[in-house]
Amino acid sequence: MKFSLIIPVAAYCPEYEYTMPFVFGLNKDGYSLCVESVQYLDISKFDTIYFTTLKKFDEKYSVGELLKLQFKRLNWTKAKVVLLHEITSSQPETVYETIKSENINGSIYIKDADCTFASEVSQQNRIATYQLEKLNWVDPQHKSYVDIDDGYYVTNIIEKRIISHNFCAGGYSFENVDDFCHYYEMMKDEHGLYLSHIIYAMLLDRYIFRPENVTNYKDFLDEQQ
């Protein structure tokens, strides 16, 4: 079964009319933060890597060429840039539009572009998790939190409210892309839709999600505070 990595980099706010989104900015090694966000995953596990952004970002800041030069440096022959013509209302919509435009099938791993970590990826329903007490500093209101039972199953996920010391580290895998699309299509009209809402709906329907404990977690947003 195919396994695709999707990095949505299409979040829009008015300041991006005159400032390039910070995740395209370069780290000390000359790589964009959104590229650094997946550098510590086992890229060989994926058939294709999709960086999805807005066409208007490419027209204004040439982010497509910027990323392609970095793919060349890293010898990422399976990486490509997907340009969306319209601004999306949520991260799940960006992922959905990527799936539909690229005819993606099989399993998917969705990676937030504003953080990085090391982890073993899997073609199962999983949520990347990290523990609050391992951080030197954190803004807890910007994260989603995950309840895990004694059997190592995810029992709950919720946005912006601390229900456990485990928070979502910014990685989500779905064993079957059709499941993701089905739940997105059911929930697409909800205001403020997050991936956590889709996973929560799947949990209610008895889908099994496992936690994926990560190491070397770094939040780029926290570092900018």
Side-chain angles (χ1 to χ4, degrees):
M1 181 183 291
K2 287 188 176 180
F3 196 16
S4 300
L5 174 59
I6 302 174
I7 304 95
V9 204
Y12 176 79
C13 63
E15 69 184 63
Y16 293 157
E17 290 296 329
Y18 53 86
T19 303
M20 185 173 70
F22 85 98
V23 290
F24 292 114
L26 303 182
N27 64 17
K28 62 182 178 59
D29 297 317
Y31 294 110
S32 293
L33 295 179
C34 60
V35 171
E36 183 184 349
S37 75
V38 297
Q39 273 188 280
Y40 307 109
L41 301 180
D42 185 355
I43 297 300
S44 68
K45 295 280 186 71
F46 300 105
D47 294 281
T48 313
I49 306 165
Y50 300 95
F51 285 80
T52 302
T53 190
L54 298 177
K55 190 173 188 292
K56 67 184 306 174
F57 291 163
D58 187 51
E59 292 173 341
K60 187 174 287 287
Y61 303 114
S62 298
V63 295
E65 287 304 311
L66 176 68
L67 293 177
K68 289 172 185 176
L69 286 171
Q70 295 172 48
F71 300 161
K72 186 175 180 180
R73 284 180 62 198
L74 292 163
N75 196 30
W76 284 2
T77 57
K78 300 181 292 184
K80 65 181 299 185
V81 178
V82 179
L83 299 177
L84 300 182
H85 290 263
E86 302 294 334
I87 296 171
T88 59
S89 62
S90 65
Q91 187 184 55
E93 183 182 0
T94 300
V95 172
Y96 180 82
E97 292 298 329
T98 305
I99 292 166
K100 293 303 179 181
S101 68
E102 299 298 314
N103 296 312
I104 297 172
N105 55 56
S107 305
I108 58 171
Y109 192 103
I110 304 165
K111 178 67 186 65
D112 290 351
D114 59 6
C115 63
T116 188
F117 55 73
S119 176
E120 290 290 332
V121 297
S122 168
Q123 290 181 258
Q124 299 175 335
N125 291 329
R126 294 171 71 178
I127 305 170
T129 58
Y130 200 66
Q131 291 75 46
L132 281 173
E133 63 268 21
K134 292 183 179 180
L135 297 177
N136 294 324
W137 188 93
V138 65
D139 185 352
Q141 66 178 326
H142 293 142
K143 301 189 182 301
S144 58
Y145 294 85
V146 179
D147 253 344
I148 302 168
D149 67 14
D150 292 338
Y152 217 57
Y153 292 92
V154 173
T155 59
N156 195 9
I157 181 170
I158 191 167
E159 283 293 327
K160 314 298 188 285
R161 185 154 64 87
I162 301 174
I163 57 173
S164 80
H165 72 144
N166 297 294
F167 65 88
C168 179
Y172 320 78
S173 57
F174 292 83
E175 183 175 350
N176 191 328
V177 70
D178 292 336
D179 293 333
F180 172 87
C181 291
H182 171 71
Y183 280 86
Y184 171 77
E185 289 165 358
M186 285 198 308
M187 305 173 72
K188 65 182 180 180
D189 294 326
E190 295 187 13
H191 178 70
L193 186 64
Y194 287 90
L195 291 170
S196 60
H197 297 139
I198 290 175
I199 293 172
Y200 181 71
M202 293 177 68
L203 289 172
L204 290 179
D205 286 344
R206 301 186 181 279
Y207 280 83
I208 292 173
F209 278 81
R210 296 278 198 175
E212 172 190 315
N213 291 324
V214 309
T215 60
N216 299 321
Y217 174 82
K218 181 168 67 172
D219 188 318
F220 303 141
L221 279 171
D222 288 346
E223 289 194 340
Q224 290 208 331
Q225 302 296 324

